């Protein structure tokens, strides 16, 4: 795991976007038929990263023609076209600015009326990721309670895409996107931690003091279902890119800076 601490959220966006581009390029290098498969987080954390990728596209440094995108999660029960449904958010923030064909945007289906329906669609979604060859680079944010995707504390470390109940903390954190707190859905369909671990590279971004405890637990705490983001410790190619505020709880910052300097450090 590589931990990169940078002065500002803008620096985080620039560096994380560069890592995503490099990992995507190396994943498709040498295969003329591959266009890349991105795993897409929503929420506010990756917005700067997406803006940087859009800039790269305008400069000719990124071409997502033919690429596919897989969302991490979707709310259950929002009507189709709801502006806060993750399909809509990703269409706005990723498809349009980055040139990802909306037909190649895959989002878990949260429209099922029963648990059986939702679970069946979740399993199909999980399978479809592997059928297209697996995710090359998964972009992640982290919840203030340590969740990734919507794998709330207590999630199995080997879980697959499935229905989850959102914790009160997450619903409160996400209330800012809705007119009233009670409008935040109670359930979601999320890629599981086992699903996320199958991506070939993981890039987690975090900014702000509100994420400091979660980042510290994920990076320096035990590998534990109590902090789902700690599964990144188990992945062979994971980057955690955070700003100063989100790094406040890290004890080994000096070492991370030295390690990031490579053989010259
Ligand atoms: C959303 C997702 C969540 C968010 C997390 C942080 O697709 O997977 O794990 O990344 O809740 O949200 P923000 O970035 O809004 O603080």
């Amino acid at each position: 795991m590589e931990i990169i601490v940078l002065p500002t959220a803008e620096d985080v966006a620039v560096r994380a976007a560069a890592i995503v581009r490099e990992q995507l390029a190396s994943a498709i290098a040498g295969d003329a038929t591959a266009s890349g498969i991105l795993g897409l987080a929503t929420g506010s954390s990756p917005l700067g990263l997406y803006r940087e990728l859009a800039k790269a596209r305008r400069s000719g440094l990124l071409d997502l023609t033919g690429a596919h995108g897989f969302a991490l999660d979707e709310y259950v029960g929002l009507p189709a076209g709801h502006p806060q449904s993750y399909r809509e958010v990703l269409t706005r923030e990723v498809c349009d600015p980055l040139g990802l064909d909306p037909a190649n945007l895959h989002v878990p289906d949260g429209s099922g009326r029963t648990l059986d329906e939702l679970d069946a669609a979740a399993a199909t979604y999980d399978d479809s990721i592997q059928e297209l060859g697996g995710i090359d680079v998964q972009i992640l944010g982290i919840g203030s309670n340590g969740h990734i995707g919507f794998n709330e504390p207590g999630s199995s470390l080997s879980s697959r895409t499935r229905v989850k109940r959102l914790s009160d903390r997450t619903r409160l954190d996400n209330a800012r996107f809705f007119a009233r707190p009670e409008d935040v859905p109670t359930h979601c369909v999320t890629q599981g931690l086992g699903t996320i671990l199958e991506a070939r590279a993981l890039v987690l971004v975090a900014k702000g003091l509100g994420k400091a405890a979660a980042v510290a637990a994920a990076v320096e705490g035990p590998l534990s279902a109590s902090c789902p983001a700690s599964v990144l410790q188990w992945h062979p190619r994971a980057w955690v890119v955070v700003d100063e505020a989100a790094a406040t709880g890290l004890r080994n910052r000096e070492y991370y800076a030295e390690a990031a300097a490579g053989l010259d450090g």
Side-chain angles (χ1 to χ4, degrees), residues 11-79:
D11 300 324
V12 168
V14 171
R15 178 69 73 86
I19 295 168
V20 169
R21 285 198 294 108
E22 281 159 22
Q23 292 306 305
L24 201 59
S26 81
I28 63 177
D31 180 352
T33 61
S35 308
I37 305 199
L38 270 179
L40 301 166
T42 46
S44 42
S45 303
L47 292 179
L49 189 170
Y50 293 145
R51 277 194 292 273
E52 288 302 318
L53 291 179
K55 249 192 237 172
R57 177 201 182 203
R58 289 195 296 277
S59 323
L61 296 170
L62 179 75
D63 180 6
L64 293 184
T65 310
H68 285 259
F70 279 90
L72 269 175
D73 36 30
E74 178 59 289
Y75 289 116
V76 167
L78 289 186

Coordinates of all heavy atoms in Angstrom, one line a residue, residues 11-79:
D11 N -4.2 19.1 -4.8 CA -3.0 18.2 -5.0 C -3.4 16.8 -5.1 O -2.9 16.0 -5.8 CB -2.0 18.4 -3.9 CG -1.5 19.9 -3.9 OD1 -1.4 20.5 -4.9 OD2 -1.2 20.3 -2.8
V12 N -4.3 16.4 -4.1 CA -4.8 15.0 -4.1 C -5.5 14.6 -5.4 O -5.2 13.6 -6.0 CB -5.8 14.8 -2.9 CG1 -6.5 13.5 -3.0 CG2 -5.1 15.0 -1.6
A13 N -6.3 15.5 -5.9 CA -7.0 15.2 -7.2 C -6.0 15.0 -8.3 O -6.2 14.1 -9.1 CB -8.0 16.4 -7.5
V14 N -5.0 15.9 -8.4 CA -4.1 15.9 -9.5 C -3.3 14.5 -9.4 O -3.1 13.8 -10.4 CB -3.1 17.1 -9.4 CG1 -1.9 16.9 -10.4 CG2 -3.9 18.4 -9.7
R15 N -2.8 14.2 -8.2 CA -1.9 13.0 -8.1 C -2.7 11.7 -8.3 O -2.3 10.8 -9.0 CB -1.2 13.0 -6.7 CG -0.4 11.7 -6.5 CD 0.9 11.7 -7.4 NE 1.8 12.7 -6.8 CZ 2.7 12.4 -5.9 NH1 2.8 11.2 -5.4 NH2 3.5 13.4 -5.4
A16 N -3.9 11.7 -7.7 CA -4.8 10.5 -7.8 C -5.2 10.3 -9.3 O -5.2 9.2 -9.8 CB -6.0 10.6 -7.0
A17 N -5.5 11.4 -10.0 CA -5.8 11.3 -11.4 C -4.6 10.7 -12.2 O -4.8 9.9 -13.1 CB -6.3 12.6 -12.0
A18 N -3.4 11.2 -11.9 CA -2.3 10.7 -12.6 C -2.1 9.2 -12.3 O -1.8 8.4 -13.3 CB -1.0 11.4 -12.1
I19 N -2.3 8.7 -11.1 CA -2.2 7.3 -10.8 C -3.2 6.5 -11.6 O -2.9 5.4 -12.1 CB -2.3 7.1 -9.3 CG1 -1.1 7.7 -8.5 CG2 -2.3 5.6 -9.0 CD1 -1.3 7.8 -7.0
V20 N -4.4 7.0 -11.6 CA -5.5 6.3 -12.3 C -5.1 6.2 -13.8 O -5.2 5.1 -14.4 CB -6.9 7.0 -12.1 CG1 -7.9 6.5 -13.1 CG2 -7.4 6.9 -10.7
R21 N -4.6 7.2 -14.4 CA -4.3 7.2 -15.8 C -3.1 6.2 -16.0 O -3.2 5.4 -17.0 CB -3.9 8.6 -16.3 CG -5.0 9.5 -16.5 CD -4.7 10.7 -17.4 NE -3.7 11.6 -16.8 CZ -2.5 11.7 -17.2 NH1 -2.0 11.0 -18.2 NH2 -1.7 12.6 -16.6
E22 N -2.1 6.2 -15.2 CA -1.0 5.3 -15.3 C -1.4 3.9 -15.2 O -1.0 3.0 -16.0 CB 0.1 5.5 -14.2 CG 1.0 6.7 -14.4 CD 1.6 7.2 -13.1 OE1 1.6 6.4 -12.1 OE2 1.9 8.4 -13.0
Q23 N -2.2 3.6 -14.2 CA -2.7 2.2 -14.0 C -3.6 1.7 -15.1 O -3.5 0.6 -15.5 CB -3.4 2.1 -12.6 CG -2.5 2.3 -11.4 CD -1.3 1.3 -11.5 OE1 -1.4 0.1 -11.6 NE2 -0.1 1.9 -11.4
L24 N -4.4 2.6 -15.6 CA -5.3 2.2 -16.7 C -4.4 2.0 -18.0 O -4.6 1.0 -18.7 CB -6.3 3.4 -17.0 CG -7.5 3.0 -17.7 CD1 -8.3 1.9 -17.0 CD2 -8.4 4.3 -17.9
A25 N -3.5 2.9 -18.2 CA -2.6 2.7 -19.4 C -1.8 1.4 -19.3 O -1.7 0.7 -20.3 CB -1.7 3.9 -19.5
S26 N -1.3 1.1 -18.1 CA -0.5 -0.1 -18.1 C -1.4 -1.4 -18.2 O -1.0 -2.4 -18.7 CB 0.4 -0.1 -16.8 OG -0.3 -0.5 -15.7
A27 N -2.6 -1.2 -17.7 CA -3.5 -2.4 -17.8 C -3.9 -2.7 -19.2 O -4.1 -3.9 -19.6 CB -4.8 -2.1 -17.0
I28 N -4.0 -1.7 -20.1 CA -4.4 -2.0 -21.5 C -3.2 -2.1 -22.4 O -3.4 -2.4 -23.6 CB -5.4 -1.0 -22.0 CG1 -4.9 0.4 -22.0 CG2 -6.7 -1.0 -21.1 CD1 -5.9 1.5 -22.6
A29 N -2.0 -1.7 -21.9 CA -0.8 -1.7 -22.8 C -0.6 -3.1 -23.4 O -0.8 -4.1 -22.7 CB 0.4 -1.3 -22.0
G30 N -0.4 -3.1 -24.7 CA 0.0 -4.4 -25.4 C -1.3 -5.2 -25.8 O -1.2 -6.2 -26.4
D31 N -2.5 -4.7 -25.5 CA -3.7 -5.4 -25.9 C -4.5 -4.4 -26.7 O -5.2 -3.5 -26.2 CB -4.5 -5.9 -24.7 CG -5.7 -6.6 -25.1 OD1 -6.1 -6.6 -26.3 OD2 -6.4 -7.2 -24.2
A32 N -4.4 -4.5 -28.0 CA -5.1 -3.6 -28.9 C -6.6 -3.6 -28.8 O -7.3 -2.6 -29.1 CB -4.7 -3.8 -30.4
T33 N -7.1 -4.7 -28.2 CA -8.6 -4.8 -28.1 C -9.1 -4.2 -26.8 O -10.3 -4.0 -26.6 CB -9.1 -6.2 -28.2 OG1 -8.5 -6.9 -27.1 CG2 -8.6 -6.9 -29.5
A34 N -8.2 -3.9 -25.8 CA -8.7 -3.4 -24.5 C -8.8 -1.9 -24.5 O -8.0 -1.2 -25.0 CB -7.7 -3.9 -23.4
S35 N -9.9 -1.5 -23.8 CA -10.1 0.0 -23.7 C -10.1 0.4 -22.2 O -10.1 1.6 -21.9 CB -11.4 0.4 -24.3 OG -11.6 -0.1 -25.6
G36 N -10.0 -0.5 -21.3 CA -10.0 -0.1 -19.9 C -11.3 -0.3 -19.2 O -12.4 0.0 -19.8
I37 N -11.2 -0.7 -18.0 CA -12.4 -0.8 -17.1 C -12.2 -0.1 -15.8 O -11.3 -0.5 -15.1 CB -12.8 -2.3 -16.9 CG1 -12.9 -3.0 -18.2 CG2 -14.0 -2.4 -16.1 CD1 -13.6 -4.3 -18.3
L38 N -13.0 0.9 -15.6 CA -12.8 1.8 -14.4 C -13.9 1.4 -13.4 O -15.0 1.2 -13.7 CB -13.0 3.2 -14.8 CG -11.8 4.1 -15.2 CD1 -12.3 5.5 -15.5 CD2 -10.7 4.1 -14.1
G39 N -13.5 1.4 -12.1 CA -14.5 1.3 -11.0 C -14.7 2.7 -10.5 O -13.8 3.4 -10.2
L40 N -16.0 3.1 -10.4 CA -16.3 4.5 -10.1 C -17.0 4.7 -8.8 O -18.1 4.0 -8.5 CB -17.2 5.0 -11.2 CG -16.6 4.9 -12.6 CD1 -17.7 5.0 -13.7 CD2 -15.5 5.9 -12.8
A41 N -16.4 5.5 -7.9 CA -17.1 5.9 -6.7 C -17.9 7.2 -6.9 O -17.6 7.9 -7.9 CB -16.0 6.2 -5.6
T42 N -18.9 7.4 -6.1 CA -19.6 8.7 -6.1 C -19.3 9.4 -4.9 O -18.3 9.1 -4.2 CB -21.1 8.4 -6.3 OG1 -21.5 7.4 -5.3 CG2 -21.5 7.9 -7.7
G43 N -20.1 10.4 -4.5 CA -19.8 11.2 -3.3 C -18.9 12.4 -3.7 O -18.5 12.5 -4.9
S44 N -18.5 13.2 -2.7 CA -17.7 14.4 -3.0 C -16.2 14.1 -3.2 O -15.6 14.8 -3.9 CB -18.0 15.5 -2.0 OG -18.0 14.9 -0.7
S45 N -15.7 13.0 -2.6 CA -14.3 12.8 -2.6 C -13.7 12.7 -4.0 O -12.6 13.3 -4.2 CB -13.9 11.5 -1.8 OG -14.4 11.6 -0.5
P46 N -14.3 11.9 -4.9 CA -13.6 11.8 -6.2 C -13.9 12.9 -7.2 O -13.4 12.8 -8.3 CB -14.1 10.4 -6.7 CG -15.4 10.3 -6.1 CD -15.5 11.1 -4.8
L47 N -14.7 13.9 -6.8 CA -15.1 14.9 -7.9 C -13.9 15.6 -8.5 O -13.8 15.9 -9.7 CB -16.1 15.9 -7.3 CG -17.5 15.3 -6.9 CD1 -18.4 16.4 -6.3 CD2 -18.1 14.7 -8.2
G48 N -12.9 16.0 -7.6 CA -11.7 16.7 -8.1 C -10.9 15.8 -9.0 O -10.4 16.2 -10.1
L49 N -10.8 14.5 -8.6 CA -10.1 13.5 -9.5 C -10.8 13.4 -10.9 O -10.1 13.4 -11.9 CB -10.2 12.2 -8.7 CG -9.4 11.0 -9.2 CD1 -9.5 9.9 -8.1 CD2 -9.9 10.4 -10.5
Y50 N -12.1 13.4 -10.9 CA -12.9 13.3 -12.1 C -12.6 14.6 -13.0 O -12.4 14.5 -14.2 CB -14.4 13.1 -11.9 CG -14.7 11.8 -11.3 CD1 -15.8 11.6 -10.4 CD2 -14.0 10.6 -11.7 CE1 -16.1 10.4 -9.9 CE2 -14.3 9.4 -11.1 CZ -15.3 9.3 -10.2 OH -15.6 8.0 -9.7
R51 N -12.5 15.7 -12.3 CA -12.3 17.0 -13.0 C -10.9 16.9 -13.7 O -10.7 17.3 -14.8 CB -12.4 18.2 -12.1 CG -13.8 18.7 -11.9 CD -13.9 20.0 -11.3 NE -13.4 20.1 -9.9 CZ -14.2 19.8 -8.9 NH1 -15.5 19.6 -9.1 NH2 -13.8 19.9 -7.7
E52 N -9.9 16.3 -12.9 CA -8.6 16.2 -13.5 C -8.5 15.2 -14.7 O -7.8 15.4 -15.6 CB -7.6 15.7 -12.4 CG -7.3 16.8 -11.4 CD -6.7 18.1 -12.0 OE1 -5.8 18.0 -12.9 OE2 -7.1 19.2 -11.5
L53 N -9.3 14.2 -14.5 CA -9.4 13.2 -15.7 C -10.0 13.9 -16.9 O -9.6 13.6 -18.0 CB -10.1 12.0 -15.3 CG -9.4 11.0 -14.2 CD1 -10.3 9.8 -13.9 CD2 -8.1 10.6 -14.7
A54 N -11.0 14.7 -16.6 CA -11.6 15.4 -17.7 C -10.6 16.4 -18.4 O -10.6 16.5 -19.6 CB -12.9 16.2 -17.2
K55 N -9.8 17.0 -17.6 CA -8.8 17.9 -18.1 C -7.8 17.1 -19.0 O -7.4 17.5 -20.1 CB -8.0 18.5 -17.0 CG -8.1 20.0 -16.8 CD -7.1 20.5 -15.8 CE -7.7 21.1 -14.6 NZ -6.8 21.5 -13.5
A56 N -7.4 15.9 -18.5 CA -6.5 15.0 -19.2 C -7.1 14.6 -20.6 O -6.5 14.6 -21.6 CB -6.2 13.8 -18.4
R57 N -8.4 14.4 -20.5 CA -9.1 14.0 -21.8 C -9.0 15.2 -22.8 O -8.7 15.0 -24.0 CB -10.6 13.7 -21.5 CG -11.3 13.4 -22.8 CD -12.8 13.6 -22.6 NE -13.5 13.2 -23.8 CZ -14.7 13.7 -24.1 NH1 -15.3 14.5 -23.2 NH2 -15.3 13.3 -25.2
R58 N -9.2 16.4 -22.3 CA -9.2 17.6 -23.2 C -7.8 17.8 -23.8 O -7.6 18.3 -24.9 CB -9.7 18.9 -22.5 CG -11.2 18.9 -22.2 CD -11.6 20.3 -21.8 NE -11.1 20.8 -20.5 CZ -11.5 20.5 -19.3 NH1 -12.6 19.7 -19.2 NH2 -10.9 20.9 -18.2
S59 N -6.8 17.4 -23.0 CA -5.4 17.6 -23.5 C -4.9 16.4 -24.3 O -3.8 16.3 -24.6 CB -4.4 17.7 -22.3 OG -4.9 18.4 -21.3
G60 N -5.8 15.4 -24.5 CA -5.5 14.3 -25.3 C -4.7 13.2 -24.5 O -4.1 12.3 -25.1
L61 N -4.7 13.3 -23.2 CA -3.9 12.4 -22.4 C -4.7 11.2 -21.9 O -4.2 10.3 -21.3 CB -3.3 13.1 -21.2 CG -2.3 14.1 -21.5 CD1 -1.9 14.9 -20.3 CD2 -1.0 13.5 -22.1
L62 N -6.0 11.2 -22.2 CA -6.9 10.2 -21.7 C -8.0 10.0 -22.8 O -8.6 10.9 -23.2 CB -7.6 10.5 -20.4 CG -8.6 9.5 -19.8 CD1 -7.8 8.3 -19.2 CD2 -9.4 10.1 -18.7
D63 N -8.2 8.7 -23.2 CA -9.2 8.4 -24.1 C -10.0 7.2 -23.6 O -9.5 6.1 -23.5 CB -8.6 8.1 -25.5 CG -9.6 7.8 -26.6 OD1 -10.8 7.9 -26.3 OD2 -9.2 7.4 -27.7
L64 N -11.3 7.5 -23.2 CA -12.1 6.4 -22.7 C -13.1 5.8 -23.8 O -14.0 5.1 -23.4 CB -12.9 6.9 -21.5 CG -12.0 7.2 -20.2 CD1 -13.0 7.6 -19.1 CD2 -11.1 6.1 -19.8
T65 N -12.8 6.1 -25.0 CA -13.6 5.5 -26.1 C -13.5 4.0 -25.9 O -12.5 3.4 -25.9 CB -13.0 5.8 -27.5 OG1 -12.8 7.2 -27.5 CG2 -14.0 5.4 -28.6
G66 N -14.7 3.4 -25.8 CA -14.8 1.9 -25.7 C -14.5 1.4 -24.3 O -14.7 0.2 -24.0
A67 N -14.1 2.3 -23.4 CA -13.9 1.8 -22.0 C -15.3 1.6 -21.3 O -16.3 2.0 -21.8 CB -13.2 2.9 -21.2
H68 N -15.2 0.8 -20.2 CA -16.4 0.6 -19.4 C -16.2 1.2 -18.0 O -15.1 1.2 -17.5 CB -16.7 -0.9 -19.3 CG -17.3 -1.5 -20.5 ND1 -18.6 -1.8 -20.7 CD2 -16.6 -1.8 -21.7 CE1 -18.8 -2.3 -21.9 NE2 -17.6 -2.3 -22.6
G69 N -17.3 1.5 -17.3 CA -17.2 2.0 -16.0 C -18.2 1.2 -15.1 O -19.4 1.0 -15.5
F70 N -17.8 0.8 -14.0 CA -18.7 0.0 -13.0 C -18.8 0.9 -11.7 O -17.8 1.1 -11.1 CB -18.1 -1.3 -12.7 CG -18.4 -2.4 -13.7 CD1 -17.5 -2.6 -14.8 CD2 -19.5 -3.1 -13.7 CE1 -17.7 -3.5 -15.8 CE2 -19.8 -4.1 -14.7 CZ -18.9 -4.3 -15.7
A71 N -20.0 1.2 -11.4 CA -20.3 2.0 -10.2 C -20.1 1.0 -9.0 O -20.3 -0.2 -9.1 CB -21.7 2.5 -10.2
L72 N -19.6 1.6 -7.9 CA -19.5 0.9 -6.6 C -20.8 0.5 -6.0 O -21.0 -0.6 -5.4 CB -18.8 1.7 -5.6 CG -17.3 1.7 -5.5 CD1 -16.8 2.7 -4.5 CD2 -16.8 0.3 -5.1
D73 N -21.8 1.4 -6.2 CA -23.0 1.2 -5.4 C -24.2 2.0 -6.0 O -24.0 2.8 -6.9 CB -22.8 1.6 -4.0 CG -21.9 2.7 -3.8 OD1 -21.8 3.6 -4.7 OD2 -21.2 2.8 -2.7
E74 N -25.4 1.7 -5.5 CA -26.6 2.4 -5.9 C -27.6 2.4 -4.8 O -27.6 1.4 -4.0 CB -27.2 1.8 -7.2 CG -28.5 2.5 -7.7 CD -28.4 4.0 -8.0 OE1 -28.2 4.8 -7.1 OE2 -28.4 4.3 -9.2
Y75 N -28.3 3.4 -4.6 CA -29.4 3.4 -3.6 C -30.5 2.5 -4.0 O -30.8 2.3 -5.2 CB -30.0 4.8 -3.4 CG -29.0 5.8 -2.8 CD1 -28.6 6.9 -3.4 CD2 -28.6 5.6 -1.4 CE1 -27.8 7.9 -2.8 CE2 -27.8 6.6 -0.8 CZ -27.4 7.7 -1.5 OH -26.6 8.6 -0.9
V76 N -31.2 2.0 -3.1 CA -32.4 1.2 -3.3 C -33.6 2.1 -3.2 O -33.7 2.9 -2.3 CB -32.6 0.0 -2.3 CG1 -34.0 -0.6 -2.4 CG2 -31.5 -1.0 -2.5
G77 N -34.5 2.0 -4.2 CA -35.8 2.7 -4.1 C -35.9 4.1 -4.7 O -37.0 4.6 -4.7
L78 N -34.8 4.7 -5.2 CA -34.9 6.0 -5.8 C -35.5 5.8 -7.2 O -35.2 4.9 -7.9 CB -33.6 6.7 -6.0 CG -32.9 7.2 -4.7 CD1 -31.7 8.0 -5.0 CD2 -33.9 8.1 -3.9
P79 N -36.5 6.6 -7.6 CA -37.1 6.5 -8.9 C -36.0 6.7 -10.0 O -35.1 7.5 -9.8 CB -38.2 7.6 -9.0 CG -37.9 8.5 -7.8 CD -37.0 7.8 -6.8

